Amino acid sequence: MTEPVTILAVDDQQANLRLLDAVLSPRGYRVVRASSGEQALELLPSSGVDLVLLDIVMPGIDGYEVCRRIRGTPETAFLPVVMITASGNQEKTRAIEAGADDFVSKPFDQSELLARVASLARIKRYHDTITQQAAELAQWNAKLETRVLTQLGELQRMKRLRRFLSPQVAELVINSGDDSILGSHRREIVVVFCDLRGFTAFAESSEPEEVMGVLGEYHAALGELIFRYEGTLERFTGDGLMVFFNDPIPLDRPAQRAVEMALAMRDRVRTLAEGWSRLGHDLGFGVGIAQGFATLGRIGYEGRFDYAAIGSVTNLAARLCGDAGAGQVLVSQRVFSAVDDVAVGKSVGTLQLRGFSRAIQAFSVSRIINSSVEVPS
């Protein structure tokens, strides 16, 4: 329900105030009376006035000064003021100079008074509506700005997380608002190391633009597979790449995921290598996979974090990768035991790997015959 228009009637003659009230109140207006300019100014801040009917000649502060003070106050600067004058041109000129919006002559005509009040009250309500809408718009803009800044922060955080986590894990951390899973902890993981055979010689004999072109194709092809199989990318080091499975989110059959990803990488790089070969680049692809316990967690400093795995299992995967021939996927005995029901492979005997005091039993896996691992499409 719309609130009634409130009119402040200001006159030092009580008879005039009663007359104004008798004319306006029956028409639905709420009339607030003030018998002096001082009283009118005191009532303005708290009475919710929509329009002022202001007599000019009053003891103390006259109507001109009251009008000037109304115009000089930001809260009432646009408040409609109707001066009640004796119709003299000099009074009207001074009223305009003081800031009056309209005039009513003494003795006033009721119809004229009501028409002028209705017109100015309507304009005041329009102004109030616009002011309210502007305030609401400013509030919405402030909320929108806050929301945008929050979303930008989340996007930046997501961007940082996606550098080393699969999209599923990154979204889990963002949506939950809990990144405690990235804190230091110990867990059994499967580590995949891979790199390009012949890359050092290629990089030494090729232009930097050619090297960057090959790496761009290579990283794009392998990156898509890492995300598809939900691996966690620890780092790129030129042509070298390290991925691990089963952390920070536990996965079903992590060894099988790692082997299937490695075989998919091998096949994809084989296709890329055919194109590189036509350009005169002789590049192969080798993979090493190991399983074991490691300490994992976020490392780095504010603004630049990585998610790393520390332990001998990462060294074993790297050494197996170093011994793998072009197109070969070498896995540790523990990995092969986890996938021997679905993988085709053979023993390559024991390997004496740098950094390991005992010989390591290794297996070469060629394909998966019965994949039961579900990966996002």
Side-chain angles (χ1 to χ4, degrees):
M1 182 176 179
T2 304
E3 291 290 327
V5 173
T6 298
I7 297 175
L8 175 61
V10 188
D11 199 305
D12 61 323
Q13 300 296 320
Q14 291 298 319
N16 291 338
L17 290 177
R18 286 194 295 270
L19 178 59
L20 288 171
D21 197 348
V23 172
L24 295 169
S25 292
R27 301 318 195 273
Y29 296 105
R30 173 175 170 261
V31 178
V32 177
R33 303 182 190 183
S35 57
S36 67
E38 292 86 351
Q39 186 181 14
L41 293 173
E42 290 175 2
L43 288 171
L44 275 176
S46 59
S47 57
V49 172
D50 296 301
L51 184 145
V52 178
L53 288 176
L54 182 59
D55 188 29
I56 293 178
V57 181
M58 294 182 294
I61 301 176
D62 63 16
Y64 300 125
E65 180 61 23
V66 172
C67 190
R68 281 191 287 269
R69 293 191 187 185
I70 289 174
R71 292 289 173 257
T73 303
E75 292 77 14
T76 58
F78 295 97
L79 183 66
V81 176
V82 178
M83 287 282 208
I84 301 176
T85 75
S87 299
N89 289 332
Q90 185 177 3
E91 282 190 342
K92 288 185 177 180
T93 300
R94 290 187 64 189
I96 291 172
E97 292 173 347
D101 295 288
D102 209 340
F103 315 94
V104 174
S105 301
K106 288 183 178 179
F108 60 81
D109 178 86
Q110 292 188 19
S111 297
E112 179 187 3
L113 174 67
L114 290 171
R116 294 183 186 281
V117 166
S119 176
L120 288 173
R122 185 167 57 252
I123 293 172
K124 173 61 164 54
R125 286 296 168 92
Y126 289 155
H127 177 267
D128 289 348
T129 299
I130 293 172
T131 301
Q132 180 182 355
Q133 290 174 342
E136 290 174 354
L137 181 60
Q139 186 178 16
W140 275 107
N141 284 337
K143 289 181 179 179
L144 181 60
E145 183 178 356
T146 301
R147 187 177 301 174
V148 168
L149 290 174
T150 300
Q151 291 175 343
L152 284 174
E154 290 180 353
L155 287 173
Q156 290 297 324
R157 189 179 176 207
M158 175 70 83
K159 185 177 179 181
R160 290 194 298 269
L161 290 174
R162 285 178 70 112
R163 286 190 298 103
F164 52 80
L165 300 179
S166 68
Q168 299 90 336
V169 176
E171 288 168 11
L172 174 65
V173 173
I174 292 295
N175 293 336
S176 67
D178 181 14
D179 58 4
S180 61
I181 61 173
L182 305 181
S184 180
H185 57 280
R186 179 175 169 83
R187 180 174 291 164
E188 186 175 25
I189 59 173
V190 180
V191 180
V192 179
F193 245 98
C194 59
D195 62 16
L196 292 172
R197 305 288 94 107
F199 181 79
T200 301
F202 159 67
E204 290 176 350
S205 60
S206 301
E207 295 296 333
E209 293 80 4
E210 291 181 293
V211 176
M212 292 301 292
V214 166
L215 285 177
E217 293 179 333
Y218 172 69
H219 291 158
L222 271 55
E224 188 272 328
L225 291 171
I226 295 168
F227 287 158
R228 181 190 298 180
Y229 284 90
E230 299 181 275
T232 298
L233 173 64
E234 192 199 71
R235 64 179 179 269
F236 283 111
T237 54
D239 65 316
L241 183 148
M242 175 178 160
V243 181
F244 51 83
F245 290 83
N246 205 43
D247 188 86
I249 301 299
L251 297 170
D252 293 332
R253 296 185 67 92
Q256 185 175 338
R257 283 177 181 269
V259 171
E260 288 194 27
M261 182 194 72
L263 293 172
M265 287 178 168
R266 178 201 62 187
D267 295 341
R268 189 165 292 186
V269 174
R270 183 178 292 157
T271 301
L272 291 176
E274 292 174 0
W276 298 334
S277 179
R278 288 193 290 271
L279 297 175
H281 310 320
D282 183 18
L283 296 169
F285 181 69
V287 183
I289 306 177
Q291 181 171 349
F293 282 89
T295 298
L296 304 107
R298 184 170 51 189
I299 60 173
Y301 55 88
E302 190 62 38
R304 181 61 173 89
F305 288 108
D306 282 321
Y307 191 73
I310 307 296
S312 61
V313 64
T314 63
N315 296 331
L316 178 55
R319 298 293 179 259
L320 289 170
C321 176
D323 262 41
Q328 190 174 34
V329 177
L330 283 185
V331 306
S332 67
Q333 185 172 16
R334 194 167 184 177
V335 172
F336 191 73
S337 296
V339 300
D340 63 355
D341 58 331
V342 295
V344 174
K346 62 180 181 180
S347 173
V348 296
T350 56
L351 303 176
Q352 193 63 52
L353 302 175
R354 183 166 59 88
F356 290 85
S357 58
R358 59 181 180 83
I360 301 297
Q361 183 74 32
F363 296 79
S364 177
V365 177
S366 57
R367 61 191 177 94
I368 293 290
I369 58 175
N370 183 25
S371 175
S372 59
V373 172
E374 294 184 4
V375 296
S377 59

